[in-house]
Amino acid sequence: MRRPTIRDLAQAAGVSVATVNRILSGTVSVRPKTVQRVQSAAEEIGFYGIGAIDDRAKKLSPHHRFGFLLQQSTRELYKLFGKKIIAACRDRRDEIVEPIVEFVDLLTPETISSRLIALGDTCDVVGVIAPDHPIIGQAIRSLKEMGKPVVAYITDQSAPERAAYVGTDNWKLGRTAAFLIAQTTQGPGRIAVFIGNHRYQCQDVSDASFRSYLREHAPRLTVEESRPTHEESSEAYRMVAELLKTTDDLVGILIVGGGITGVLRALREVPAKRRAGIKLVCRDIGPDTRKGLSEGMITAALCHPLEATSALLVQTMIDVIGPQAPVATLQRSIPFEIVTPENI
């Protein structure tokens, strides 16, 4: 097969041979969009000089340093979030984005705030998953004054100085969870709700809308007060195990925070017949959730589509920096996925 020539590349990209030569030599200025068009054409036809064109495109592309503050380095779900965010940064074609992904294990507002400020010192913009707390809000305010926008990811912040929110519509998510439990249970029964922390907006909104739907459509079901797991599986295990010992009318569990591993552990300790009568709905999907789904223990997981959400997060962070950044706070929702044992 004949190797593509410079003339072939020029024709495929819709530019002159002289323009391709200028890009390859790197000695004359060429518009970035033209370089990107030639770069795409070179990849498509398998041009031998793609390495030189890629290098030229990188030199002409804007360079950014993005910080991402996630939670709990020991949790597989957050590790997966981090990997998908890095991939989304590297997939950018019009910019060079250097991702700095850090994890917070001690989830106190003071720790999160100090880590947020530290990331902002070295990055152009910061994406953060964090509870909504005045101390964290002050850190967001301080970073804005430094010209460093903060984008709330997965769970929103009330600080008006935040630049944007990227995540799912949590009101719809909670009502969907309630719909699933109402449709898969019969007769009266008790529903237990577990959240990570009352200060996570995504969890609090999901909790409220879950109750709203059941009051409206399934008053036969009694929803207990929310129990915080503090994002700890051991705490979730302790509470579910106690609940299973002291009640015989439990028909549903909603868990919208961390601790699914503990919930599943407690359910595995009861007879299969009892377990089958308890419908479990959770958020997002890691290895333990996937296993629970495959075993039929989880009725549904309501999940962020990680690739699409990560790409939207990175795009939003690009949109909120620079002279063209919007004045108003951006609110960007992405539809959640419903994963069941039958479509996993």
Side-chain angles (χ1 to χ4, degrees):
M1 183 177 178
R2 184 176 70 87
R3 189 170 72 166
T5 64
I6 290 176
R7 186 173 297 279
D8 295 329
L9 176 57
Q11 184 175 0
V15 300
S16 67
V17 170
T19 296
V20 175
N21 280 326
R22 286 199 296 272
I23 293 171
L24 290 171
S25 67
T27 57
V28 182
S29 176
V30 180
R31 287 185 301 177
K33 287 191 177 297
T34 301
V35 176
Q36 290 160 8
R37 189 162 77 247
V38 172
Q39 183 183 32
S40 297
E43 290 176 351
E44 186 176 339
I45 69 174
F47 182 69
Y48 65 90
I50 184 63
I53 297 172
D54 286 346
D55 183 65
R56 178 74 158 152
K58 288 179 180 178
K59 290 177 180 177
L60 290 173
S61 298
H63 284 61
H64 305 297
R65 199 166 195 254
F66 286 2
F68 301 90
L69 192 61
L70 308 183
Q71 298 192 7
Q72 295 174 304
S73 60
T74 56
R75 284 182 61 188
E76 292 298 327
L77 179 61
Y78 285 117
K79 291 179 184 178
L80 187 57
F81 280 177
K83 289 177 182 177
K84 296 300 183 182
I85 286 170
I86 291 171
C89 290
R90 290 176 177 166
D91 285 344
R92 297 296 304 183
R93 292 300 303 270
D94 296 342
E95 307 87 7
I96 304 300
V97 178
E98 177 190 357
I100 308 298
V101 176
E102 295 186 1
F103 297 88
V104 178
D105 292 315
L106 183 61
L107 299 180
T108 65
E110 294 80 7
T111 302
I112 294 170
S113 174
S114 62
R115 295 286 295 278
L116 192 57
I117 293 289
L119 259 183
D121 282 339
T122 60
C123 297
D124 303 314
V125 56
V126 180
V128 63
I129 300 177
D132 189 4
H133 191 280
I135 293 176
I136 296 171
Q138 180 58 47
I140 293 172
R141 191 171 303 115
S142 297
L143 286 173
K144 183 179 181 180
E145 291 171 356
M146 294 165 54
K148 304 295 181 74
V150 174
V151 176
Y153 176 52
I154 304 298
T155 185
D156 203 356
Q157 295 284 323
S158 61
E161 292 83 4
R162 74 198 187 287
Y165 163 70
V166 176
T168 62
D169 183 327
N170 292 293
W171 183 262
K172 290 182 178 179
L173 187 145
R175 290 183 68 86
T176 300
F179 169 83
L180 291 168
I181 288 180
Q183 293 297 314
T184 54
T185 58
Q186 295 181 348
R190 185 187 306 268
I191 308 294
V193 177
F194 296 92
I195 63 174
N197 184 305
H198 289 292
R199 284 193 174 273
Y200 289 100
Q201 279 199 32
C202 62
Q203 299 174 15
D204 210 34
V205 171
S206 297
D207 182 11
S209 63
F210 179 82
R211 295 169 186 278
S212 170
Y213 179 93
L214 292 180
R215 283 196 301 268
E216 182 180 355
H217 296 288
R220 62 184 172 83
L221 296 171
T222 302
V223 186
E224 294 199 335
E225 284 297 315
S226 305
R227 295 172 168 89
T229 67
H230 306 292
E231 303 290 319
E232 295 291 343
S233 292
S234 59
E235 185 67 6
Y237 167 77
R238 183 191 65 77
M239 290 189 291
V240 175
E242 179 65 22
L243 191 63
L244 291 168
K245 288 177 184 176
T246 57
T247 63
D248 57 8
D249 61 344
L250 183 67
V251 296
I253 295 175
L254 171 67
I255 177 164
V256 290
I260 186 63
T261 303
V263 174
L264 292 171
R265 178 185 164 198
L267 288 174
R268 289 189 179 104
E269 293 178 355
V270 300
K273 184 176 180 180
R274 173 100 189 269
R275 191 165 61 233
I278 301 172
K279 305 306 177 184
L280 171 60
V281 176
C282 64
R283 287 197 64 162
D284 289 315
I285 186 165
D288 291 326
T289 306
R290 188 174 295 276
K291 187 172 187 293
L293 282 162
S294 68
E295 295 171 339
M297 294 178 62
I298 297 176
T299 302
L302 309 182
C303 309
H304 286 86
L306 291 187
E307 287 84 1
T309 309
S310 299
L312 181 60
L313 171 63
V314 174
Q315 180 60 59
T316 302
M317 292 170 78
I318 288 170
D319 292 342
V320 300
I321 58 177
Q324 303 302 317
V327 176
T329 301
L330 296 179
Q331 293 284 328
R332 290 183 171 169
S333 293
I334 191 162
F336 52 86
E337 297 175 337
I338 302 176
V339 183
T340 72
E342 298 303 320
N343 69 3
I344 190 172

